[in-house]
């Protein structure tokens, strides 16, 4: 899957933009306590409900007024730069004030860069703007915004996303079939020796 994603993004033709031309850094705080669902960054799943990660992270309920608002379609720069450090959000909620929220403009199709930001070539390119040692490394967002990316038309972006989503769905279905067959095999082996 990663090889297909790398190939699709690397072969895309289009105009070259700096990330600064594609994203606005948003620091909207949850001052009015509109949102209470806390989101956390997951490398594979993007932004997910903190309650879904099976890690009990303690926080003061009254401190959520300082949390940042993440809107559906935003990208979040989180602390795991060695894994890419970017997570796509397909939901609205709030997240740690340590995260940087990036709101894409109209040149970027919904979710188009979500797979690109976890691709090996992109992660490798982050070495130029990543500082610190080992797991403590962090991305200098201001420097990253000056890096460039080739962006195809929105129609081509949607086409690339459709291909990746079709492969994702196929892998998910095959994995489910594998799990069902494994359970059936286990059942049959148990009943065979009764």
């Amino acid at each position: 899957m990663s090889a297909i994603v790398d190939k699709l993004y690397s072969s895309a033709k289009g105009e070259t933009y700096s990330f600064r031309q594609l994203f606005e850094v948003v620091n909207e705080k949850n001052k009015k306590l509109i949102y209470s669902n806390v989101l956390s960054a997951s490398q594979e799943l993007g932004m997910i409900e903190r309650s879904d990660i099976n890690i009990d992270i303690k926080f003061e309920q009254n401190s959520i007024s300082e949390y940042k608002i993440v809107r559906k379609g935003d990208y979040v720069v989180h602390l795991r730069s060695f894994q890419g450090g970017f997570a796509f959000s397909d939901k609205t909620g709030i997240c740690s004030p340590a995260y940087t929220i990036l709101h894409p403009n109209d040149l970027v199709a919904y979710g188009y860069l979500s797979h690109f930001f976890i691709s090996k070539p992109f992660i490798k390119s982050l070495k130029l703007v990543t500082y610190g040692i080992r797991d403590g490394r962090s991305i200098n967002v201001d420097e990253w915004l000056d890096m460039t990316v080739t962006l195809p038309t929105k129609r081509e972006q949607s086409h690339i996303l459709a291909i990746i989503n079709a492969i994702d769905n196929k892998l998910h279905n095959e994995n489910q079939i594998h799990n069902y067959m494994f359970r059936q095999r286990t059942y049959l082996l148990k009943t065979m020796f009764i």
Side-chain angles (χ1 to χ4, degrees), residues 5 27 37-38 65 69 72 92 104 136 150 163:
V5 168
N27 288 308
N37 59 318
V38 180
S65 66
I69 297 175
K72 187 175 181 176
T92 298
T150 300
I163 292 169

Side-chain angles (χ1 to χ4, degrees), residues 32-97:
K32 295 181 182 176
L33 301 175
I34 297 170
Y35 303 101
S36 60
N37 59 318
V38 180
L39 305 176
S40 286
S42 160
Q43 193 60 23
E44 293 176 7
L45 304 173
M47 295 301 288
I48 60 172
E49 298 285 339
R50 186 175 277 178
S51 57
D52 292 343
I53 60 173
N54 297 325
I55 299 174
D56 187 21
I57 300 173
K58 302 290 185 213
F59 65 96
E60 294 290 326
Q61 192 64 31
N62 58 1
S63 71
I64 66 170
S65 66
E66 292 302 310
Y67 277 41
K68 293 181 180 177
I69 297 175
V70 180
R71 302 204 184 279
K72 187 175 181 176
D74 287 348
Y75 294 84
V76 178
V77 182
H78 55 86
L79 306 176
R80 293 183 206 96
S81 60
F82 58 95
Q83 294 177 324
F86 290 76
F88 177 70
S89 185
D90 63 354
K91 53 185 63 72
T92 298
I94 54 175
C95 68
S96 166

Side-chain angles (χ1 to χ4, degrees), residues 10-24:
S10 65
S11 63
K13 305 283 188 254
E15 291 194 44
T16 300
Y17 297 93
S18 71
F19 288 109
R20 193 177 303 279
Q21 293 173 292
L22 302 176
F23 290 100
E24 173 189 359

Side-chain angles (χ1 to χ4, degrees), residues 105-179:
N105 63 24
D106 292 340
L107 294 171
V108 183
Y110 179 84
Y112 172 70
L113 293 171
S114 60
H115 297 282
F116 175 73
F117 285 155
I118 59 173
S119 68
K120 289 178 184 167
F122 175 76
I123 293 170
K124 191 175 180 182
S125 76
L126 289 176
K127 289 181 181 178
L128 300 172
V129 295
T130 305
Y131 302 96
I133 56 171
R134 292 200 303 232
D135 294 353
R137 293 180 293 178
S138 62
I139 298 166
N140 182 318
V141 175
D142 199 48
E143 288 182 21
W144 172 79
L145 286 168
D146 291 328
M147 293 177 68
T148 59
V149 64
T150 300
L151 197 67
T153 64
K154 282 183 92 171
R155 183 177 180 187
E156 181 65 20
Q157 291 176 49
S158 297
H159 178 70
I160 290 169
L161 261 178
I163 292 169
I164 294 170
N165 290 337
I167 295 168
D168 262 347
N169 289 337
K170 175 74 171 158
L171 289 173
H172 176 75
N173 290 341
E174 292 298 326
N175 195 31
Q176 280 192 314
I177 291 169
H178 172 268
N179 290 338

